[in-house]
Amino acid sequence: LPRRAPRDAGDSRYAALSIRVTPAGSVVRVDGERWDDTQDDEELIVQVLEGRHTIEVSHDGYEPFRTTVTVRSGDTTPVTADLRRSRR
């Protein structure tokens, strides 16, 4: 899936999530919507409405990551998901 086009900067209801994920190729979901993870050390920028959002990250062979953040309009909130190898 492509990155979502930036919202109108004049619309003050929006904020951004800056998501960094290890390992590359992980599946990233924001409020249940799937986003393609970036490769290497690049960050994934997702524009969202202000408020609470749930970020989930998964990758075969790794423990899943889940967190909920509250974002304010105009802000960029960083989220880092360093997945740990599964012990199964």
Side-chain angles (χ1 to χ4, degrees):
L1 299 172
R3 290 184 191 202
R4 180 168 291 163
R7 306 278 187 197
D8 179 3
D11 190 336
S12 63
R13 298 176 298 155
Y14 291 97
L17 297 171
S18 171
I19 305 169
R20 289 189 178 271
V21 175
T22 303
S26 296
V27 174
V28 177
R29 294 185 191 280
V30 177
D31 299 328
E33 182 178 350
R34 183 180 171 147
W35 292 85
D36 281 343
D37 178 25
T38 57
Q39 300 301 312
D40 303 320
D41 277 340
E42 292 182 31
E43 62 190 346
L44 175 66
I45 303 293
V46 180
Q47 300 293 320
V48 294
L49 285 170
E50 64 182 340
R52 290 175 54 91
H53 298 278
T54 300
I55 296 97
E56 299 170 282
V57 181
S58 61
H59 192 288
D60 287 341
Y62 290 81
E63 296 292 329
F65 171 89
R66 179 184 171 107
T67 191
T68 300
V69 296
T70 300
V71 297
R72 293 179 8 182
S73 63
D75 287 353
T76 298
T77 301
V79 177
T80 301
D82 291 321
L83 302 187
R84 290 185 233 157
R85 286 208 176 269
S86 177
R87 295 180 188 208
R88 296 182 223 177

